[in-house]
Structures are given as structure tokens and as C-alpha cells.
Amino acid sequence: MKKKLALILAVALCLGLFVGCSSKDANAPKEEVLEIKVGHGTAETTALHQGWLKFKELVEQKSDGKMTVKIFPNQQLGGDRELIEAVQLGNVTMTSPSTAPLAAFDPAFFVLDIPFLFSDRDMVYEVLDSQVGESLLDTLKEYNIKGLGYWENGFRNFTNSKLPVRSPQELSGIKVRTMENEIHMKAWSLLGANPTPMAFGELYTALQQKTVDAQENPFELIYATKFHEVQKYITKTQHIYSAYIPLMNNEFFNNLSSEYQQIIMDSIKEATAEQRQIAGKNDVEFEEKMRSTNEVIDLSGDEKQAFRNEMAPVLDLVKTKAGEDMVSAFTEATGY
Ligand code: TF8
């Protein structure tokens, strides 16, 4: 019995020594790896996904692997609305919604839903990258979200399965899916269509089963999500420019060392340049591809103007929601 006890003690002592030895290392500053969890809504063939891949590469390289980025594309973690909520709560670290669903959280973002606010891509970048764009991002802080910049979704075009639409008159009775945003819904009712708000993830099936006749998105997403397979007609309306906002949980950002914060900012900046460049390229290439499989309707200046005129009354509604100051900051910058 005594022998047994001695043996147990000896083993315990050895274990103790062993644990003691290894605890020397444990006392050294821990090399913690910080994981950044990113969820987004589009296919891997999009510039949005490429932008996140670039961000991942840069963050991991600049931090010597002490920060890792894990990307979940294709709505694996939810659609725009769920992802914004998840980032707010900190269940997901980063995401990149279109600004339209973001307006349900912060009405200031309705300002970007003014149809034909921007006339071309150069103007978009100039304004969004200026103090005006910065002030819009700042509004997110009060929702525990840090807006890190503007990526490109693109100029939106109208597609449908019924007829080659050239004028608002032809939209009468057409059921169009809109984003979950009341300004978009209002704009499509003004055009005479029948707007149905719906999450992006449900859209392909809805078009296929003809629950809705129409939708609108930039060329890149129409092609990458294969909407062109179930929508014969594409009218090049370019009625609204959609930006994506890369977002981070604000608390997560604030808890980072200033060195890591800088890595995030620098990486986003570099990834932004790359993401925009790919988005611009895809916009042209995917339009070209669909010209051989679909009927693409180009609009004259006058025809575009007809769409613009019908949608113009939403401006007053945007003012009541986003505030006169935010609206005039943008309309002055774009010359709307
Ligand atoms: C839409 C938007 C979305 C994107 C993305 C899927 O039509 O353009 O496609 O925000 O998250 O809902």
C-alpha cells in the first residue's frame, strides 16, 4: 500500500515538473491568432469575392499570419440583412452589403437611392472617396458598425422575361423584384411596375418560377448569378449606382492595437483598388457575353430621360428620410 502511494506521489511529482516546465512557455506572451470572419452574398466569380480574397492575402501577409481571414461567400452565413445584423452583434466580423439594405439600419444611406444621382463611374469614385462619402460612412458608428469604404456593385440594369422594355409605359403590370428598400419600391411604382421586395437569395427561383417577371442588378451580378438564363430581355437603364460597403464590427476594430487597425485600413484600401478594377472589367465583359445570349436594349438619351422623369419624385421622400443636409451634400457634389 505504501509502495503504491510512493509510486503515485512519484508520478505526480514528475507530472508536476512536466507541467511546470511547459508552463514556462505558457507564461511567455501568447501568440494569439485573431480570426476575422467575413460573410458576403455573391458568387466566387464576382469582383466582390476577389476583393475579399485580396484583403485576406494582404491582412495575413502584413500581420505575419497573426490575423487570419476566413471568407464565407454565396450567402452561406445569410443575405445582406442578416449579415449586417450579425456584424452589429459581432457574430460575424465583416461583411459587404449593398447600400440599399443598409438604409433600413441607417436612413442616411437612402441618399444613394436617388435614381440617376451619378452619371458615370469617375464621378462615383470622386464623390464617394471624398469627405461627403466619408461623412456617410461615419453615421454607421452609432450602430456599432465601422464602414471602411466603398466597393463596386455597379450601375443597375433592368431585366425581365416578358418584353423588350424601352419605356416606363411598358412596365405596367410587370412584377419586379426590388431590394428591401422603400425608395426602390417607390421608384418602381412611380414607373408603373408592381414592386415586390425580396432577399437576393430567393431571386433566382422566383424568376425561374415566374413569381416575379423582372429584377434589376448590374451586368456582373446578372451574369454571375445566372439571371440571364431566366430573363430574356435586359434594358440598359443604369438607373442607380449600387456601392458595396465593407463593414466591420466597430468594437472589434476598436479593440485592435493601432498597428493592427492600420493593417486593416491599408489592406482595405489596396483591396478597394483591385475590387473596383475587376468590377469595371467584369461589367464590360459580362455585358458583352450576354449580348450573344440575350436581347440587350440600349436606350437613347431621351429614353433614359423618360425613366429619370418618372422616378424623380422620390427625391422628396429621400430628403425626409436621409435628411436635407445629407441630400444636398451629395446632390451638390454630383451636380444632380
Ligand atoms: C441585390 C444586391 C445584392 C448584393 C449581394 C448579393 O440586388 O445587388 O445582389 O447586395 O449581397 O440584392
Side-chain angles (χ1 to χ4, degrees):
M1 199 60 195
K2 263 187 186 164
K3 257 190 194 165
K4 236 187 192 172
L5 199 64
L7 190 68
I8 288 169
L9 277 173
V11 168
L13 193 67
C14 284
L15 273 176
L17 276 174
F18 187 68
V19 170
C21 280
S22 62
S23 74
K24 231 193 229 162
D25 286 336
N27 286 338
K30 250 208 205 146
E31 293 278 2
E32 232 182 279
V33 174
L34 252 186
E35 185 180 282
I36 294 173
K37 189 173 174 186
V38 177
H40 73 75
T42 68
E44 279 148 277
T45 45
T46 58
L48 182 66
H49 189 67
Q50 302 307 312
W52 281 120
L53 286 179
K54 185 75 193 170
F55 175 76
K56 171 183 167 70
E57 175 197 320
L58 292 166
V59 165
E60 292 179 355
Q61 173 212 317
K62 287 177 200 280
S63 70
D64 287 323
K66 284 177 204 131
M67 281 195 276
T68 57
V69 179
K70 216 164 168 201
I71 307 168
F72 298 86
N74 266 317
Q75 326 231 345
Q76 280 170 37
L77 304 181
D80 281 351
R81 197 156 38 88
E82 291 93 344
L83 283 168
I84 298 165
E85 274 166 18
V87 166
Q88 218 175 359
L89 296 170
N91 299 336
V92 173
T93 328
M94 299 181 82
T95 187
S96 47
S98 289
T99 57
L102 203 49
F105 293 78
D106 183 348
F109 279 88
F110 282 120
V111 71
L112 294 177
D113 297 319
I114 300 170
F116 300 98
L117 176 63
F118 298 103
S119 47
D120 58 56
R121 193 180 268 119
D122 286 341
M123 181 196 275
V124 168
Y125 297 157
E126 194 185 307
V127 175
L128 294 183
D129 294 341
S130 74
Q131 191 42 50
V132 175
E134 202 59 49
S135 69
L136 185 56
L137 292 181
D138 283 347
T139 60
L140 289 169
K141 280 202 187 118
E142 84 177 80
Y143 305 92
N144 194 28
I145 292 172
K146 183 163 180 70
L148 293 160
Y150 294 91
W151 286 3
E152 174 147 315
N153 188 350
F155 282 101
R156 305 179 78 86
N157 298 301
F158 174 78
T159 75
N160 85 100
S161 57
K162 293 214 149 152
L163 75 170
V165 170
R166 306 199 75 96
S167 70
Q169 287 74 42
E170 290 161 310
L171 291 173
S172 158
I174 298 254
K175 239 179 155 182
V176 57
R177 174 271 178 174
T178 68
M179 290 187 278
E180 297 164 287
N181 173 297
E182 40 187 313
I183 300 298
H184 283 245
M185 290 175 66
K186 177 76 183 167
W188 287 98
S189 348
L190 285 166
L191 286 167
N194 188 355
T196 310
M198 188 185 289
F200 185 79
E202 294 160 35
L203 184 50
Y204 184 91
T205 309
L207 292 170
Q208 193 181 36
Q209 300 181 344
K210 304 237 163 42
T211 321
V212 292
D213 309 307
Q215 67 88 39
E216 40 82 60
N217 255 300
F219 286 125
E220 191 209 44
L221 268 186
I222 297 171
Y223 186 78
T225 325
K226 305 191 189 332
F227 294 153
H228 67 295
E229 294 178 351
V230 286
Q231 296 276 275
K232 180 167 179 199
Y233 306 100
I234 306 174
T235 306
K236 197 171 174 182
T237 46
Q238 314 244 282
H239 51 282
I240 279 176
Y241 178 87
S242 269
Y244 288 125
I245 313 273
L247 311 171
M248 185 177 248
N249 176 277
N250 198 42
E251 239 166 74
F252 184 94
F253 184 82
N254 288 338
N255 287 336
L256 293 175
S257 67
S258 58
E259 184 202 348
Y260 279 14
Q261 288 182 346
Q262 198 57 48
I263 289 176
I264 298 291
M265 302 304 281
D266 291 347
S267 303
I268 280 285
K269 207 169 165 210
E270 277 182 63
T272 299
E274 171 123 339
Q275 195 277 339
R276 286 176 178 177
Q277 194 250 325
I278 298 171
K281 196 178 100 230
N282 285 352
D283 192 51
V284 174
E285 277 180 20
F286 293 4
E287 170 182 359
E288 219 32 62
K289 282 187 207 271
M290 290 188 291
R291 278 187 187 270
S292 59
T293 51
N294 293 63
E295 192 173 330
V296 179
I297 299 105
D298 293 297
L299 298 179
S300 69
D302 283 351
E303 285 170 328
K304 253 195 183 178
Q305 188 63 40
F307 282 88
R308 183 175 174 146
N309 291 345
E310 296 298 321
M311 293 197 243
V314 300
L315 183 64
D316 286 335
L317 189 58
V318 173
K319 281 183 188 163
T320 64
K321 302 203 173 278
E324 301 255 358
D325 289 351
M326 190 55 86
V327 171
S328 58
F330 271 86
T331 52
E332 275 162 31
T334 65
Y336 173 85

PDB file of all heavy atoms in Angstrom, residues 163-184:
ATOM      1  N   LEU A 163     -41.002  41.274 -72.200  1.00  0.00           N
ATOM      2  CA  LEU A 163     -40.933  42.072 -73.430  1.00  0.00           C
ATOM      3  C   LEU A 163     -39.706  42.998 -73.428  1.00  0.00           C
ATOM      4  O   LEU A 163     -39.176  43.317 -72.360  1.00  0.00           O
ATOM      5  CB  LEU A 163     -42.224  42.890 -73.619  1.00  0.00           C
ATOM      6  CG  LEU A 163     -42.474  44.141 -72.776  1.00  0.00           C
ATOM      7  CD1 LEU A 163     -43.661  44.924 -73.295  1.00  0.00           C
ATOM      8  CD2 LEU A 163     -42.681  43.802 -71.307  1.00  0.00           C
ATOM      9  N   PRO A 164     -39.278  43.411 -74.629  1.00  0.00           N
ATOM     10  CA  PRO A 164     -38.110  44.313 -74.700  1.00  0.00           C
ATOM     11  C   PRO A 164     -38.483  45.725 -74.265  1.00  0.00           C
ATOM     12  O   PRO A 164     -38.916  46.539 -75.079  1.00  0.00           O
ATOM     13  CB  PRO A 164     -37.726  44.271 -76.181  1.00  0.00           C
ATOM     14  CG  PRO A 164     -38.971  43.880 -76.907  1.00  0.00           C
ATOM     15  CD  PRO A 164     -39.791  43.055 -75.961  1.00  0.00           C
ATOM     16  N   VAL A 165     -38.329  46.010 -72.992  1.00  0.00           N
ATOM     17  CA  VAL A 165     -38.786  47.288 -72.422  1.00  0.00           C
ATOM     18  C   VAL A 165     -37.883  48.455 -72.840  1.00  0.00           C
ATOM     19  O   VAL A 165     -36.664  48.401 -72.685  1.00  0.00           O
ATOM     20  CB  VAL A 165     -38.833  47.193 -70.874  1.00  0.00           C
ATOM     21  CG1 VAL A 165     -39.058  48.561 -70.241  1.00  0.00           C
ATOM     22  CG2 VAL A 165     -39.918  46.221 -70.432  1.00  0.00           C
ATOM     23  N   ARG A 166     -38.529  49.494 -73.397  1.00  0.00           N
ATOM     24  CA  ARG A 166     -37.782  50.714 -73.749  1.00  0.00           C
ATOM     25  C   ARG A 166     -38.331  51.935 -73.014  1.00  0.00           C
ATOM     26  O   ARG A 166     -37.707  52.990 -73.002  1.00  0.00           O
ATOM     27  CB  ARG A 166     -37.913  51.040 -75.248  1.00  0.00           C
ATOM     28  CG  ARG A 166     -37.550  49.966 -76.231  1.00  0.00           C
ATOM     29  CD  ARG A 166     -37.280  50.608 -77.596  1.00  0.00           C
ATOM     30  NE  ARG A 166     -36.000  51.278 -77.573  1.00  0.00           N
ATOM     31  CZ  ARG A 166     -34.870  50.711 -78.008  1.00  0.00           C
ATOM     32  NH1 ARG A 166     -34.880  49.500 -78.515  1.00  0.00           N
ATOM     33  NH2 ARG A 166     -33.738  51.371 -77.932  1.00  0.00           N
ATOM     34  N   SER A 167     -39.545  51.797 -72.436  1.00  0.00           N
ATOM     35  CA  SER A 167     -40.167  52.970 -71.803  1.00  0.00           C
ATOM     36  C   SER A 167     -40.921  52.565 -70.541  1.00  0.00           C
ATOM     37  O   SER A 167     -41.360  51.410 -70.420  1.00  0.00           O
ATOM     38  CB  SER A 167     -41.158  53.617 -72.779  1.00  0.00           C
ATOM     39  OG  SER A 167     -42.280  52.763 -72.927  1.00  0.00           O
ATOM     40  N   PRO A 168     -41.091  53.508 -69.629  1.00  0.00           N
ATOM     41  CA  PRO A 168     -41.849  53.207 -68.403  1.00  0.00           C
ATOM     42  C   PRO A 168     -43.255  52.687 -68.703  1.00  0.00           C
ATOM     43  O   PRO A 168     -43.756  51.835 -67.971  1.00  0.00           O
ATOM     44  CB  PRO A 168     -41.907  54.561 -67.689  1.00  0.00           C
ATOM     45  CG  PRO A 168     -40.724  55.309 -68.174  1.00  0.00           C
ATOM     46  CD  PRO A 168     -40.513  54.875 -69.591  1.00  0.00           C
ATOM     47  N   GLN A 169     -43.882  53.157 -69.781  1.00  0.00           N
ATOM     48  CA  GLN A 169     -45.244  52.702 -70.122  1.00  0.00           C
ATOM     49  C   GLN A 169     -45.317  51.179 -70.235  1.00  0.00           C
ATOM     50  O   GLN A 169     -46.317  50.576 -69.877  1.00  0.00           O
ATOM     51  CB  GLN A 169     -45.716  53.317 -71.459  1.00  0.00           C
ATOM     52  CG  GLN A 169     -46.073  54.796 -71.394  1.00  0.00           C
ATOM     53  CD  GLN A 169     -44.830  55.679 -71.291  1.00  0.00           C
ATOM     54  OE1 GLN A 169     -43.839  55.439 -71.978  1.00  0.00           O
ATOM     55  NE2 GLN A 169     -44.862  56.668 -70.410  1.00  0.00           N
ATOM     56  N   GLU A 170     -44.245  50.587 -70.729  1.00  0.00           N
ATOM     57  CA  GLU A 170     -44.260  49.134 -70.938  1.00  0.00           C
ATOM     58  C   GLU A 170     -44.118  48.333 -69.639  1.00  0.00           C
ATOM     59  O   GLU A 170     -44.152  47.114 -69.654  1.00  0.00           O
ATOM     60  CB  GLU A 170     -43.136  48.750 -71.909  1.00  0.00           C
ATOM     61  CG  GLU A 170     -43.419  49.226 -73.322  1.00  0.00           C
ATOM     62  CD  GLU A 170     -42.158  49.266 -74.179  1.00  0.00           C
ATOM     63  OE1 GLU A 170     -41.141  49.846 -73.740  1.00  0.00           O
ATOM     64  OE2 GLU A 170     -42.190  48.709 -75.276  1.00  0.00           O
ATOM     65  N   LEU A 171     -43.930  49.048 -68.531  1.00  0.00           N
ATOM     66  CA  LEU A 171     -43.737  48.341 -67.255  1.00  0.00           C
ATOM     67  C   LEU A 171     -45.047  48.049 -66.541  1.00  0.00           C
ATOM     68  O   LEU A 171     -45.069  47.354 -65.516  1.00  0.00           O
ATOM     69  CB  LEU A 171     -42.857  49.179 -66.323  1.00  0.00           C
ATOM     70  CG  LEU A 171     -41.404  49.321 -66.755  1.00  0.00           C
ATOM     71  CD1 LEU A 171     -40.696  50.313 -65.853  1.00  0.00           C
ATOM     72  CD2 LEU A 171     -40.709  47.971 -66.689  1.00  0.00           C
ATOM     73  N   SER A 172     -46.103  48.557 -67.088  1.00  0.00           N
ATOM     74  CA  SER A 172     -47.402  48.418 -66.432  1.00  0.00           C
ATOM     75  C   SER A 172     -47.747  46.941 -66.198  1.00  0.00           C
ATOM     76  O   SER A 172     -47.732  46.130 -67.126  1.00  0.00           O
ATOM     77  CB  SER A 172     -48.453  49.117 -67.309  1.00  0.00           C
ATOM     78  OG  SER A 172     -49.716  48.611 -67.008  1.00  0.00           O
ATOM     79  N   GLY A 173     -48.014  46.626 -64.935  1.00  0.00           N
ATOM     80  CA  GLY A 173     -48.380  45.254 -64.576  1.00  0.00           C
ATOM     81  C   GLY A 173     -47.208  44.306 -64.411  1.00  0.00           C
ATOM     82  O   GLY A 173     -47.371  43.153 -64.023  1.00  0.00           O
ATOM     83  N   ILE A 174     -45.986  44.771 -64.699  1.00  0.00           N
ATOM     84  CA  ILE A 174     -44.807  43.896 -64.568  1.00  0.00           C
ATOM     85  C   ILE A 174     -44.411  43.792 -63.088  1.00  0.00           C
ATOM     86  O   ILE A 174     -44.247  44.806 -62.406  1.00  0.00           O
ATOM     87  CB  ILE A 174     -43.612  44.450 -65.385  1.00  0.00           C
ATOM     88  CG1 ILE A 174     -43.980  44.496 -66.868  1.00  0.00           C
ATOM     89  CG2 ILE A 174     -42.343  43.687 -65.094  1.00  0.00           C
ATOM     90  CD1 ILE A 174     -43.352  43.458 -67.732  1.00  0.00           C
ATOM     91  N   LYS A 175     -44.267  42.562 -62.640  1.00  0.00           N
ATOM     92  CA  LYS A 175     -43.877  42.333 -61.253  1.00  0.00           C
ATOM     93  C   LYS A 175     -42.358  42.353 -61.161  1.00  0.00           C
ATOM     94  O   LYS A 175     -41.698  41.459 -61.694  1.00  0.00           O
ATOM     95  CB  LYS A 175     -44.400  40.963 -60.808  1.00  0.00           C
ATOM     96  CG  LYS A 175     -45.319  41.063 -59.619  1.00  0.00           C
ATOM     97  CD  LYS A 175     -45.832  39.724 -59.209  1.00  0.00           C
ATOM     98  CE  LYS A 175     -46.196  39.761 -57.735  1.00  0.00           C
ATOM     99  NZ  LYS A 175     -46.666  38.492 -57.238  1.00  0.00           N
ATOM    100  N   VAL A 176     -41.831  43.358 -60.501  1.00  0.00           N
ATOM    101  CA  VAL A 176     -40.367  43.480 -60.423  1.00  0.00           C
ATOM    102  C   VAL A 176     -39.885  43.281 -58.988  1.00  0.00           C
ATOM    103  O   VAL A 176     -40.425  43.875 -58.052  1.00  0.00           O
ATOM    104  CB  VAL A 176     -39.877  44.839 -60.994  1.00  0.00           C
ATOM    105  CG1 VAL A 176     -40.519  46.026 -60.306  1.00  0.00           C
ATOM    106  CG2 VAL A 176     -38.356  44.960 -60.922  1.00  0.00           C
ATOM    107  N   ARG A 177     -38.897  42.426 -58.852  1.00  0.00           N
ATOM    108  CA  ARG A 177     -38.291  42.271 -57.534  1.00  0.00           C
ATOM    109  C   ARG A 177     -37.418  43.485 -57.271  1.00  0.00           C
ATOM    110  O   ARG A 177     -36.632  43.881 -58.125  1.00  0.00           O
ATOM    111  CB  ARG A 177     -37.424  41.008 -57.481  1.00  0.00           C
ATOM    112  CG  ARG A 177     -36.623  40.845 -56.180  1.00  0.00           C
ATOM    113  CD  ARG A 177     -35.252  41.512 -56.238  1.00  0.00           C
ATOM    114  NE  ARG A 177     -34.501  41.391 -54.992  1.00  0.00           N
ATOM    115  CZ  ARG A 177     -33.246  41.783 -54.830  1.00  0.00           C
ATOM    116  NH1 ARG A 177     -32.597  42.314 -55.836  1.00  0.00           N
ATOM    117  NH2 ARG A 177     -32.634  41.652 -53.668  1.00  0.00           N
ATOM    118  N   THR A 178     -37.590  44.081 -56.078  1.00  0.00           N
ATOM    119  CA  THR A 178     -36.685  45.162 -55.681  1.00  0.00           C
ATOM    120  C   THR A 178     -35.930  44.709 -54.433  1.00  0.00           C
ATOM    121  O   THR A 178     -36.314  43.734 -53.787  1.00  0.00           O
ATOM    122  CB  THR A 178     -37.434  46.467 -55.324  1.00  0.00           C
ATOM    123  OG1 THR A 178     -38.170  46.246 -54.112  1.00  0.00           O
ATOM    124  CG2 THR A 178     -38.374  46.894 -56.431  1.00  0.00           C
ATOM    125  N   MET A 179     -34.883  45.433 -54.127  1.00  0.00           N
ATOM    126  CA  MET A 179     -34.209  45.197 -52.857  1.00  0.00           C
ATOM    127  C   MET A 179     -35.149  45.642 -51.738  1.00  0.00           C
ATOM    128  O   MET A 179     -36.141  46.329 -51.981  1.00  0.00           O
ATOM    129  CB  MET A 179     -32.892  45.965 -52.795  1.00  0.00           C
ATOM    130  CG  MET A 179     -31.855  45.390 -53.742  1.00  0.00           C
ATOM    131  SD  MET A 179     -30.231  46.146 -53.534  1.00  0.00           S
ATOM    132  CE  MET A 179     -30.434  47.638 -54.485  1.00  0.00           C
ATOM    133  N   GLU A 180     -34.826  45.217 -50.512  1.00  0.00           N
ATOM    134  CA  GLU A 180     -35.697  45.555 -49.387  1.00  0.00           C
ATOM    135  C   GLU A 180     -35.414  47.000 -48.954  1.00  0.00           C
ATOM    136  O   GLU A 180     -34.719  47.247 -47.993  1.00  0.00           O
ATOM    137  CB  GLU A 180     -35.467  44.546 -48.261  1.00  0.00           C
ATOM    138  CG  GLU A 180     -35.853  43.135 -48.706  1.00  0.00           C
ATOM    139  CD  GLU A 180     -35.302  42.036 -47.821  1.00  0.00           C
ATOM    140  OE1 GLU A 180     -34.092  41.776 -47.887  1.00  0.00           O
ATOM    141  OE2 GLU A 180     -36.078  41.437 -47.070  1.00  0.00           O
ATOM    142  N   ASN A 181     -35.985  47.920 -49.728  1.00  0.00           N
ATOM    143  CA  ASN A 181     -35.685  49.339 -49.547  1.00  0.00           C
ATOM    144  C   ASN A 181     -36.865  50.141 -50.082  1.00  0.00           C
ATOM    145  O   ASN A 181     -37.267  49.976 -51.236  1.00  0.00           O
ATOM    146  CB  ASN A 181     -34.401  49.657 -50.335  1.00  0.00           C
ATOM    147  CG  ASN A 181     -34.059  51.134 -50.388  1.00  0.00           C
ATOM    148  OD1 ASN A 181     -34.813  51.935 -50.934  1.00  0.00           O
ATOM    149  ND2 ASN A 181     -32.923  51.491 -49.847  1.00  0.00           N
ATOM    150  N   GLU A 182     -37.446  50.991 -49.232  1.00  0.00           N
ATOM    151  CA  GLU A 182     -38.700  51.637 -49.641  1.00  0.00           C
ATOM    152  C   GLU A 182     -38.549  52.659 -50.758  1.00  0.00           C
ATOM    153  O   GLU A 182     -39.507  52.911 -51.498  1.00  0.00           O
ATOM    154  CB  GLU A 182     -39.442  52.246 -48.442  1.00  0.00           C
ATOM    155  CG  GLU A 182     -38.548  52.908 -47.450  1.00  0.00           C
ATOM    156  CD  GLU A 182     -39.291  53.352 -46.194  1.00  0.00           C
ATOM    157  OE1 GLU A 182     -40.362  53.956 -46.330  1.00  0.00           O
ATOM    158  OE2 GLU A 182     -38.761  53.117 -45.095  1.00  0.00           O
ATOM    159  N   ILE A 183     -37.355  53.241 -50.903  1.00  0.00           N
ATOM    160  CA  ILE A 183     -37.168  54.190 -52.007  1.00  0.00           C
ATOM    161  C   ILE A 183     -37.175  53.447 -53.345  1.00  0.00           C
ATOM    162  O   ILE A 183     -37.777  53.892 -54.325  1.00  0.00           O
ATOM    163  CB  ILE A 183     -35.846  54.986 -51.840  1.00  0.00           C
ATOM    164  CG1 ILE A 183     -35.852  55.788 -50.531  1.00  0.00           C
ATOM    165  CG2 ILE A 183     -35.613  55.911 -53.037  1.00  0.00           C
ATOM    166  CD1 ILE A 183     -36.934  56.842 -50.424  1.00  0.00           C
ATOM    167  N   HIS A 184     -36.534  52.297 -53.356  1.00  0.00           N
ATOM    168  CA  HIS A 184     -36.554  51.487 -54.581  1.00  0.00           C
ATOM    169  C   HIS A 184     -37.987  51.079 -54.924  1.00  0.00           C
ATOM    170  O   HIS A 184     -38.405  51.141 -56.076  1.00  0.00           O
ATOM    171  CB  HIS A 184     -35.679  50.243 -54.419  1.00  0.00           C
ATOM    172  CG  HIS A 184     -34.212  50.541 -54.544  1.00  0.00           C
ATOM    173  ND1 HIS A 184     -33.436  50.054 -55.556  1.00  0.00           N
ATOM    174  CD2 HIS A 184     -33.389  51.297 -53.774  1.00  0.00           C
ATOM    175  CE1 HIS A 184     -32.188  50.490 -55.411  1.00  0.00           C
ATOM    176  NE2 HIS A 184     -32.130  51.236 -54.331  1.00  0.00           N
TER     177      HIS A 184
END
